[in-house]
Amino acid sequence: DWQVRSVAELVLDPGPDTDQTGRGLPIDFAEARALYEKAAARGDTHAMNNLGRVYRDGDVVPADRDKAIYWFLASAANGNSYAYNNLGYMLLDEGDTESALPLFEQAAAAGDIYGHNNLGHVYQNGIGVDQDVSRAIEHYEAAAEGGQPNAPINLGFIYRDGAPGVAPDLHRAAF
């Protein structure tokens, strides 16, 4: 239910004052979580994904890895590719590259720009895979074309500094 999820996002929207939202409302973490849970119970996959993030990050409620995984998987099972990426990011951050990589691949295959960016990072740095800068560039380009904000920066560094198999190219660095 997108209306309920939207209200949850409003009560978490940080403004210039850390005690208030960007709309001048007091930040109410408990209310936001309750609204996300209500929307998730109605099948809203974005709310499910956001609950995964809430439990992963521990900003709204105490971090709970099992609940984060539950909500990411529920969201992904209902078609939200962002959830694959978010779960992969959590697992990569925990050092579980073997489990994270297929999740990034699933997200990217579904067109998720963050999944593409994370695959670019993995291949650029050889994290759990053989380093492959060409594949990293392919994923960064897909992410950049989709509007992922960090991908052009990542490409710029590769072209500015050079990388295995890629000579520095300041013209391309200005992507």
Side-chain angles (χ1 to χ4, degrees), residues 2-14:
W2 68 269
Q3 293 105 338
V4 175
R5 177 176 35 90
S6 294
V7 172
E9 290 166 358
L10 282 176
V11 297
L12 284 178
D13 180 30

Side-chain angles (χ1 to χ4, degrees), residues 78-117:
N78 286 287
N80 188 336
S81 63
Y82 295 117
Y84 285 120
N85 179 69
N86 285 332
L87 178 55
Y89 185 82
M90 181 181 90
L91 295 174
L92 184 66
D93 192 48
E94 294 174 352
D96 186 357
T97 307
E98 185 177 330
S99 297
L101 193 59
L103 294 166
F104 292 148
E105 289 170 349
Q106 284 180 283
D112 177 54
I113 58 176
Y114 294 93
H116 277 295
N117 191 66

Side-chain angles (χ1 to χ4, degrees), residues 91-153:
L91 295 174
L92 184 66
D93 192 48
E94 294 174 352
D96 186 357
T97 307
E98 185 177 330
S99 297
L101 193 59
L103 294 166
F104 292 148
E105 289 170 349
Q106 284 180 283
D112 177 54
I113 58 176
Y114 294 93
H116 277 295
N117 191 66
N118 285 331
L119 280 173
H121 173 73
V122 165
Y123 282 107
Q124 179 185 1
N125 296 290
I127 300 171
V129 296
D130 291 334
Q131 185 179 35
D132 187 337
V133 177
S134 295
R135 284 189 77 182
I137 290 171
E138 289 173 16
H139 285 291
Y140 285 145
E141 286 176 346
E145 289 168 7
Q148 203 284 341
N150 295 321
I153 297 166

Side-chain angles (χ1 to χ4, degrees), residues 21 24-26 42 57 74 81 104 170:
T21 68
L25 302 169
R42 293 179 179 177
D57 297 342
S81 63
F104 292 148
L170 294 181

